[in-house]
Amino acid sequence: MTANRDAIDEIQAVWSARRPDLDTAPIAVAGRILRAARFLQQAADDWLADAGVTRAEFDVLSQLRRNDAPLRPGDLTAGVVGSPAATTKRLHKLTAAGLVTRTPDPDDARAARVALTGAGERLVDEVLPRQVAAEAELLEVFTPAERESLAALLRTALLAWEP
């Protein structure tokens, strides 16, 4: 790869040569979004390792911290990327770590409500500023105007794609 070509350029070039009948332009955007997401996920997991949580687990803790009342597991699933099974797995780990509690839902005996413990609240309050600073450092490859444009473009996509 040359200085101005990335892995996606190479992938697109190979597909264009092997399948000239296909318009490979979507690979330029979708491939880069997917690769960037994987990179950001791994970087976040690395930053959060010292706190003993993954990015997905921290997202659950953060969602609870942003709410004034305990949430149902289904509400947590709706607020983060993942499946109900993944949320259940995360909640088991976070409960075992003493970061969240699960109590019976007063409105539905079959359901539970999830809340942060004091330790969970302290973890979010301690880690969030470091996470935001680390993400800001990663995004320094863009000018402030480029970050605003990228955020707006991604917002447009998510508004169209999310339920």
Side-chain angles (χ1 to χ4, degrees):
M1 285 182 282
T2 64
N4 291 327
R5 290 180 61 84
D6 66 5
I8 298 300
D9 289 319
E10 300 300 323
I11 291 167
Q12 196 174 3
V14 170
W15 278 123
S16 292
R18 290 186 185 224
R19 292 290 311 270
D21 58 309
L22 289 178
D23 175 10
T24 62
I27 293 172
V29 175
R32 286 187 177 96
I33 290 172
L34 291 168
R35 288 176 73 90
R38 281 194 303 269
F39 178 79
L40 290 169
Q41 180 72 49
Q42 185 58 56
D45 284 344
D46 292 347
W47 305 322
L48 293 167
D50 289 341
V53 294
T54 65
R55 173 62 189 251
E57 292 160 354
F58 189 72
D59 286 347
V60 169
L61 295 172
S62 295
Q63 186 177 3
L64 289 167
R65 184 70 174 106
R66 292 189 309 269
N67 284 276
D68 294 327
L71 297 174
R72 291 184 177 117
D75 297 329
L76 290 167
T77 299
V80 298
V81 175
S83 66
T87 299
T88 298
K89 181 179 175 183
R90 290 175 190 132
L91 290 175
H92 283 304
K93 182 178 178 214
L94 295 170
T95 301
L99 300 173
V100 302
T101 59
R102 293 175 70 141
T103 56
D105 187 329
D107 300 326
D108 183 352
R110 299 166 296 161
R113 296 281 179 139
V114 181
L116 282 178
T117 63
E121 191 172 308
R122 285 188 300 277
L123 185 142
V124 173
D125 290 347
E126 178 185 314
V127 171
L128 184 61
R130 292 185 300 182
Q131 178 202 357
V132 170
E135 288 175 352
E137 186 177 325
L138 275 177
L139 296 175
E140 285 177 357
V141 300
F142 301 113
T143 66
E146 289 170 332
R147 286 192 297 271
E148 285 181 32
S149 293
L150 181 56
L153 291 168
L154 292 170
R155 179 185 305 109
T156 297
L158 291 174
L159 287 170
W161 298 337
E162 290 181 332

